[in-house]
Amino acid sequence: MPGRDEEVVISTGYLHLVGHLTLPPDASGLVLFVHGSGSSRHSPRNQYVALVLNQAGLGTLLFDLLTSEEAANRANVFDIELLAERLADVSAWAHDQPWGRDLSIGWFGASTGAGAALWAAGEPHSGVAAIVSRGGRPDLAGPRLPAVTAPTLLIVGALDTEVLALNRAARAQLRCPGDLVVVPGATHLFEEPGTLTAAARHAEAWFTTHLRHVVDAGHPPA
């Protein structure tokens, strides 16, 4: 499969969302990024993580979860069910594209985006093959957590004490294969030197293992 690096328009029903697609040649999987409140596809932290994944041979799709009109209503930014539905729609769109039909799909969620990803993953036949949460709020998925089946990695900064406690509680509710990684010296946004790189490397290892495993095992792509 040839490589791609381009802006895309994601059409899901009557909605048109903007995203940026990067596919290395012969990508071994595709990771959709679910940004947190107050962020967008231009998040420099997510863009950095995406670059690390691209260098490992994984495709990435960074997209805006809401239209500009929707984002103007702050209630939408925190509507986990709406964001989860939007993520599911974008995943289905990606899988319907010629370049996405043979790719297993992973979700990378940050902050509230992680809650939306886990909420969506709790739906039967969600199709997601692996999930990574960075500084996420998995507690926002609440009752959906025990229904998640995709291997899930929770990455939290050691100094992000309140969110760390929420992640530990959420990890206890998950029944899927998973792990909780605590990055030393990191606060919520992973702004401290080396901490975002550490988080990105953990995400790379998780997706490389679980997305490639789906393909190598001969399972249908997500």
Side-chain angles (χ1 to χ4, degrees):
M1 181 177 64
R4 290 173 174 265
D5 187 11
E6 61 193 20
E7 293 287 298
V8 294
V9 176
I10 303 160
S11 297
T12 61
Y14 64 92
L15 286 174
H16 302 287
L17 305 173
V18 180
H20 189 92
L21 173 70
T22 304
L23 280 179
D26 299 317
S28 55
L30 176 67
V31 178
L32 275 59
F33 279 69
V34 197
H35 59 74
S37 59
S39 188
S40 72
R41 72 184 189 281
H42 299 299
S43 163
R45 285 176 289 277
N46 281 351
Q47 288 179 338
Y48 173 77
V49 175
L51 177 61
V52 171
L53 298 183
N54 296 153
Q55 292 172 342
L58 293 164
T60 55
L61 176 61
L62 291 87
F63 65 97
D64 291 332
L65 284 161
L66 302 170
T67 66
S68 55
E69 293 79 10
E70 290 173 329
N73 181 350
R74 290 293 292 171
N76 289 330
V77 175
F78 297 97
D79 188 335
I80 298 301
E81 293 185 44
L82 170 63
L83 301 180
E85 181 180 356
R86 195 61 51 81
L87 172 60
D89 289 343
V90 173
S91 291
W93 173 87
H95 189 230
D96 285 342
Q97 306 308 304
W99 45 261
R101 290 172 186 162
D102 296 326
L103 294 176
S104 54
I105 288 180
W107 295 340
F108 180 95
S111 190
T112 53
L118 287 164
W119 185 282
E123 286 282 353
H125 313 296
S126 66
V128 63
I131 300 169
V132 173
S133 162
R134 175 187 60 80
R137 291 289 308 278
D139 56 295
L140 295 176
R144 292 292 184 93
L145 290 174
V148 175
T149 59
T152 298
L153 175 65
L154 308 176
I155 306 173
V156 190
L159 303 182
D160 192 9
T161 53
E162 292 185 13
V163 172
L164 178 55
L166 293 171
N167 274 257
R168 283 175 170 153
R171 176 69 184 92
Q173 297 181 60
L174 289 168
R175 300 290 178 264
C176 58
D179 199 3
L180 170 64
V181 170
V182 181
V183 177
T187 53
H188 185 60
L189 296 179
F190 292 80
E191 296 176 305
E192 297 72 25
T195 58
L196 185 59
T197 298
R201 293 303 179 193
H202 285 299
E204 173 196 344
W206 194 262
F207 284 129
T208 297
T209 297
H210 292 287
L211 296 188
R212 287 181 177 167
H213 174 73
V214 171
V215 175
D216 293 345
H219 297 168

